[in-house]
Amino acid sequence: EPEVTQTPSHQVTQMGQEVILRCVPISNHLYFYWYRQILGQKVEFLVSFYNNEISEKSEIFDDQFSVERPDGSNFTLKIRSTKLEDSAMYFCASRSGVTSTDTQYFGPGTRLTVL
Amino acid sequence: GEDVEQSLFLSVREGDSSVINCTYTDSSSTYLYWYKQEPGAGLQLLTYIFSNMDMKQDQRLTVLLNKKDKHLSLRIADTQTGDSAIYFCAESIWGLTGGGNKLTFGTGTQLKVEL
């Protein structure tokens, strides 16, 4: 069964460093998402992406964040200058977008630890 | 704005039924979902219900939707130790932002199944 994959599973970085989290959505899916979950808290929407542009973003997704689909398979989330409060589990999701009933499928997540 | 609330903990004995409740505020929600998260793992879609439905059954899972009270529940029949996990309800409004269809998650309910 097709699945969303994410790499790395765990990323440790120093405050102020740039990180890139990678996702490979399910092939032929058209809509892509990033969510994050700070330890013990809700899963929060960050951004949705369709047709090579951002379709919606949350207040969390400020200028430090960017997303890109550099080729036909990868979908990346970049954090330019990480802060301690960026430590969280980051989930990528995709959906086909063919019908209104299709659902989002989530990857296993990348745990980002900012020291 | 959207807000989704759940009780934090539920403890049941193996073989009993579990009922996990969720309330949401956005009356324009189109779809409501239940996701399962096992320790250290990603979000697994369990089931979903369209807002014009009252009930959906899928094997051991029964979803009930009271749209008037904005209340959603997930019943797990014959609960097993393997059902121990965090259960998230989520809502989406399809088509609101060009098909972005972001998910708004609840706080999650930790289900503990005891022998």
Side-chain angles (χ1 to χ4, degrees), chain B residues 46-50 53-58 61-65:
Chain B
L46 287 178
T47 186
Y48 65 93
I49 190 167
F50 188 44
M53 297 168 64
D54 298 324
M55 186 181 93
K56 182 179 180 182
Q57 187 149 5
D58 184 1
L61 305 178
T62 303
V63 179
L64 294 176
L65 175 60

Side-chain angles (χ1 to χ4, degrees), chain B residues 6-62:
Chain B
Q6 300 175 237
S7 52
L8 292 179
F9 299 102
L10 176 66
S11 180
V12 299
R13 298 181 78 86
E14 190 177 40
D16 287 351
S17 291
S18 308
V19 179
I20 302 170
N21 295 300
C22 170
T23 56
Y24 60 98
T25 55
D26 199 323
S27 57
S28 51
S29 295
T30 310
Y31 293 97
L32 295 134
Y33 304 84
W34 284 103
Y35 283 86
K36 177 183 180 182
Q37 185 181 38
E38 296 183 71
L43 297 161
Q44 176 195 352
L45 176 67
L46 287 178
T47 186
Y48 65 93
I49 190 167
F50 188 44
S51 59
N52 69 354
M53 297 168 64
D54 298 324
M55 186 181 93
K56 182 179 180 182
Q57 187 149 5
D58 184 1
Q59 298 181 336
R60 291 192 297 126
L61 305 178
T62 303

